[in-house]
Amino acid sequence: MLSVQHLLGIKYLTKEDITTILHTADTFLDVINRPIKKVPSLRDITIVNLFFENSTRTRLSFELAEKRLSADVINFSASSSSVSKGETLVDTVNNILAMKVDMVVMRHPKPGAAHFLSQRVNASIINAGDGAHEHPTQALLDAFTIKRKLGDLAGKKVVIVGDILHSRVALSNIYCLKAMGAEVMVCGPPTLIPRHIGSLGVLVETDLRKALEWCDVANMLRIQLERQDTQYFPSLREYAMLFGVSGSLLKSLSKEITIMHPGPINRGVEITSDVADGNSSIILNQVESGVAVRMAVLYLLAGRTDEKM
Ligand code: CP
């Protein structure tokens, strides 16, 4: 069982919680690779996916995870709902819950939205990304994917490269990897690295080659132009030259490293196509892991650990 009722952020999980989720995800990874991919674990549970912000991977992955667990699923998209007529978040969710919904998966552009909701409605809330704050299931699936590729996370060296300032993936990954005993470095233009990031126990490097020589895994973040209120670097071309990973840069390193990216990729900016599609990349493994990890989170939060998977 988890120590929490909601998944609001990795910050609120214990190491034991993370270990339990990753261990449970191992079982579900086997399940989704069987010819019959469905289990009855959440048969009488109804889940709503509330997306107030665009998503491809997270939305589809949650929906698939819910369906693989035999939950009843309803999807809500803010743009086609009564939110556009002025309804508040709490009213919207309470109306949905009145239809006998048990769990809420929510992506919202405002940091803290999932936390706010968890204090006001009677359902288990899962944060699917809240502004530039946290994206807990992304960090869990990233940790799970590293573990699948490299084994135990303790002692592994992971560099997170790029737009750290605007990234919920970076913060959740830092909390998760540090809790599991990995060493973490952030690398990017100084303007995109928060000033006090060192207080989270991470190393800071602005030279990409040095960072790549140090690490076992490089997690390349998307440049989030939609969250940038000012110009943080001169041009995307210059960013790609200084902080993008190309096949020739990878080949010039003294060892092989593993490349990750949470998606969506800006090909030619954070990584070139030969890197994204090459042997070092575990980007599509991350997507596969996402379904297993989200099944584990939903299953554990639903408190159905006594049922057979
Ligand atoms: N990694 C991730 O959150 O992707 P989406 O925005 O497509 O969900």
Side-chain angles (χ1 to χ4, degrees):
M1 291 292 275
L2 301 180
S3 68
V4 290
Q5 264 185 294
H6 311 278
L7 179 62
L8 304 177
I10 301 290
K11 188 177 181 182
Y12 308 105
L13 298 182
T14 63
K15 182 179 179 183
E16 289 67 36
D17 289 331
I18 297 171
T19 304
T20 302
I21 293 167
L22 301 187
H23 181 70
T24 308
D26 266 329
T27 309
F28 284 124
L29 186 66
D30 289 342
V31 168
I32 62 174
N33 280 290
R34 287 181 197 159
I36 297 169
K37 300 172 172 54
K38 215 163 167 169
V39 287
S41 310
L42 299 192
R43 204 173 30 209
D44 53 353
I45 296 283
T46 304
I47 304 174
V48 62
N49 299 312
L50 286 178
F51 278 72
F52 292 87
E53 211 186 57
N54 294 342
S55 169
T56 300
R57 277 145 292 270
T58 312
R59 191 172 63 79
L60 293 179
S61 177
F62 265 114
E63 187 172 343
L64 203 52
E66 292 151 4
K67 288 180 170 167
R68 297 281 191 242
L69 291 166
S70 305
D72 291 320
V73 180
I74 51 174
N75 290 305
F76 168 98
S77 145
S79 56
S80 56
S81 75
S82 291
V83 169
S84 58
K85 299 176 195 162
E87 189 167 61
T88 67
L89 176 61
V90 173
D91 279 343
T92 299
V93 175
N94 272 328
N95 275 270
I96 293 169
L97 296 182
M99 301 178 209
K100 310 300 173 209
V101 168
D102 305 292
M103 301 176 87
V104 178
V105 173
M106 184 172 76
R107 170 168 288 190
H108 199 282
K110 299 285 183 209
H115 193 270
F116 172 86
L117 200 58
S118 72
Q119 294 181 327
R120 287 164 179 81
V121 302
N122 186 23
S124 187
I125 309 295
I126 299 169
N127 180 5
D130 60 332
H133 180 222
E134 281 227 39
H135 191 350
T137 55
Q138 181 69 46
L140 291 164
L141 75 87
D142 288 343
F144 184 69
T145 313
I146 295 172
K147 198 162 164 285
R148 280 172 70 193
K149 167 90 180 179
L150 300 177
D152 197 358
L153 291 161
K156 298 292 179 305
K157 294 179 174 174
V158 181
V159 62
I160 305 169
V161 180
D163 185 358
I164 313 297
L165 186 64
H166 299 97
S167 175
R168 55 193 173 210
V169 176
L171 188 60
S172 289
N173 260 272
I174 290 169
Y175 286 138
C176 188
L177 292 166
K178 293 289 296 175
M180 300 308 287
E183 291 182 55
V184 183
M185 175 184 280
V186 295
C187 176
T191 49
L192 288 176
I193 296 182
R195 197 174 297 173
H196 301 294
I197 192 97
S199 65
L200 296 177
V202 301
L203 301 167
V204 179
E205 177 58 70
T206 53
D207 182 323
L208 179 64
R209 175 175 287 281
K210 284 186 188 162
L212 297 180
E213 286 288 3
W214 173 84
C215 74
D216 301 307
V217 178
N219 195 350
M220 308 300 298
L221 300 182
R222 183 172 67 86
I223 285 293
Q224 312 211 24
L225 294 173
E226 76 277 17
R227 292 211 186 100
Q228 298 186 3
D229 49 6
T230 183
Q231 202 165 353
Y232 290 88
F233 46 84
S235 68
L236 278 179
R237 192 160 164 271
E238 183 176 311
Y239 178 87
M241 280 169 58
L242 293 175
F243 295 100
V245 172
S246 63
S248 56
L249 175 54
L250 276 190
K251 278 197 201 96
S252 73
L253 299 176
S254 60
K255 60 175 181 179
E256 284 186 18
I257 63 167
T258 297
I259 299 292
M260 302 175 76
H261 193 303
I265 301 172
N266 294 308
R267 285 178 182 254
V269 180
E270 302 103 24
I271 48 177
T272 53
S273 283
D274 57 342
V275 173
D277 305 327
N279 290 335
S280 306
S281 163
I282 54 170
I283 293 170
L284 293 180
N285 303 82
Q286 290 173 263
V287 180
E288 182 191 28
S289 298
V291 178
V293 164
R294 289 178 175 120
M295 286 172 82
V297 166
L298 292 162
Y299 174 76
L300 290 164
L301 285 178
R304 298 299 182 88
T305 46
D306 52 328
E307 282 192 7
K308 262 178 87 125
M309 286 181 209

